[in-house]
Amino acid sequence: MNCQWQSFLTLLPHWMRQDVDRLGRDGLQELRIRMGQPPELILQSGASRLKKQTERDDINFVINAASEYSPWAAGTTAEGFLTAAGGHRIGICGVGTVKDRSLTGVHYPTSLCMRVARDFPGIAQRADGIMGSILIIGPPGSGKTTLMRDLIRQRSSKGLGSVVVIDEREEIFPLYRGHACFPVGDRTDIMSRCPKAAGIDAAIRNMNPEWIAVDEITAQEDCNALLHAGWCGVNLLATAHAGSLQDLRTRPVYQTLIGYKLFSHILLLRKDKTWTVERI
């Protein structure tokens, strides 16, 4: 497991660091900081709270530390998040500014969701012999993105072809100052902050990939783009929220993908982060 834990601690106000380090070094998944409330640690074993309440200055400290007081980095809060050194991701809530029904900024932040970036090289090893397109499903927090990250490295480093990753929200391979925070593999190309459908189309036209990888299929537009890629002979790696195969089949947005048998295998993750292989 790889994690730049010290980088995460330096994002925190000094009064939080010792307790967060003691409680969360090995199992912290998220740190929730809400103005006027004690910070909440979301751990693998449950939740825990610190005693002192968070103030406005604490939230400002985290944002300034994550952006390193850079106007360019702070400007990325227009999308509601920041990526800090080590790949740690900070979601921001506050007063939103909206244009054409899209979020263009977050002002007066009142709460933060700090997600600890942890990488687990080798967890996809059991999928080594699987050929064809793969869909990873599981409930929130089960590790779908982490597993897919390792699948991408596996495919691109073992002679199985080049992989183009459409990383719409920089969650598969978070970038810091333009560089990926985790190893990406020998033949991986990354398109960040691009809508999935547009990125898939651009990858097919411009990059001639053997594989295309996308995270969190949520819209029919995404499904249509994946179908087009599959019909063009591209193998696919993707994730979707579903607790079981039956759950997947009952969701209208996924029925087209299942009906056309776009994916040959499904990796089903459980809450304890173990997974099984299902063939379609």
Side-chain angles (χ1 to χ4, degrees):
M1 187 269 288
N2 297 327
C3 176
Q4 294 188 33
W5 179 246
Q6 287 302 128
S7 294
F8 182 81
L9 291 178
T10 61
L11 301 174
L12 306 180
H14 292 275
W15 67 266
M16 292 185 198
R17 294 180 186 178
Q18 184 173 353
D19 285 338
V20 171
D21 187 30
R22 175 175 56 85
L23 294 169
R25 174 177 287 270
D26 296 322
L28 183 64
Q29 297 176 336
E30 296 177 354
L31 178 64
R32 299 274 184 163
I33 298 179
R34 301 178 176 98
M35 192 166 64
Q37 297 184 32
E40 181 183 20
L41 288 77
I42 308 300
L43 306 158
Q44 292 176 356
S45 57
S48 178
R49 287 184 180 271
L50 305 186
K51 294 181 179 180
K52 183 179 175 181
Q53 290 188 347
T54 301
E55 299 179 357
R56 167 75 65 187
D57 286 347
D58 297 320
I59 291 176
N60 290 340
F61 181 96
V62 173
I63 292 175
N64 287 330
S67 65
E68 296 182 340
Y69 297 88
S70 163
W72 177 87
T76 64
T77 60
E79 298 176 64
F81 73 93
L82 276 168
T83 302
H88 309 296
R89 183 183 180 85
I90 302 166
I92 305 170
C93 273
V95 179
T97 302
V98 177
K99 183 178 180 181
D100 297 328
R101 304 183 72 177
S102 296
L103 184 69
T104 59
V106 179
H107 307 283
Y108 307 108
T110 55
S111 57
L112 307 174
C113 175
M114 303 180 66
R115 297 169 59 180
V116 180
R118 300 184 190 273
D119 189 32
F120 295 85
I123 60 170
Q125 188 172 359
R126 282 203 295 121
D128 214 8
I130 298 177
M131 295 294 105
S133 297
I134 298 173
L135 178 64
I136 303 171
I137 66 172
S142 57
K144 296 184 294 295
T145 302
T146 304
L147 179 58
M148 186 165 74
R149 182 185 304 131
D150 204 46
L151 272 175
I152 291 167
R153 286 190 293 243
Q154 180 194 77
R155 286 338 193 221
S156 73
S157 299
K158 293 189 175 182
L160 298 178
S162 61
V163 185
V164 174
V165 181
I166 312 303
D167 202 356
E168 185 170 1
R169 291 182 59 81
E170 290 186 13
E171 293 188 279
I172 307 171
F173 291 106
L175 299 178
Y176 180 70
R177 294 184 175 179
H179 298 283
C181 297
F182 300 127
V184 303
D186 296 338
R187 301 181 66 193
T188 301
D189 305 297
I190 302 171
M191 176 79 78
S192 297
R193 299 197 182 185
C194 177
K196 286 185 276 292
I200 291 169
D201 181 61
I204 293 169
R205 288 187 288 107
N206 303 327
M207 298 301 293
N208 192 29
E210 281 91 355
W211 299 80
I212 289 177
V214 298
D215 203 12
E216 294 189 8
I217 306 168
T218 57
Q220 190 61 53
E221 183 182 22
D222 303 338
C223 295
N224 293 341
L226 288 170
L227 284 169
H228 175 63
W231 292 334
C232 290
V234 180
N235 289 301
L236 304 168
L237 301 172
T239 70
H241 289 299
S244 65
L245 280 174
Q246 181 60 30
D247 186 18
L248 185 75
R249 291 189 177 105
T250 59
R251 300 192 181 194
V253 72
Y254 304 132
Q255 288 176 359
T256 304
L257 301 180
I258 299 299
Y260 279 101
K261 297 185 178 180
L262 186 64
F263 296 94
S264 62
H265 292 81
I266 289 180
L267 306 188
L268 174 59
L269 279 89
R270 306 183 184 92
K271 269 290 189 181
D272 63 2
K273 302 189 187 304
T274 61
W275 52 274
T276 57
V277 182
E278 302 283 348
R279 187 175 178 87
I280 298 180

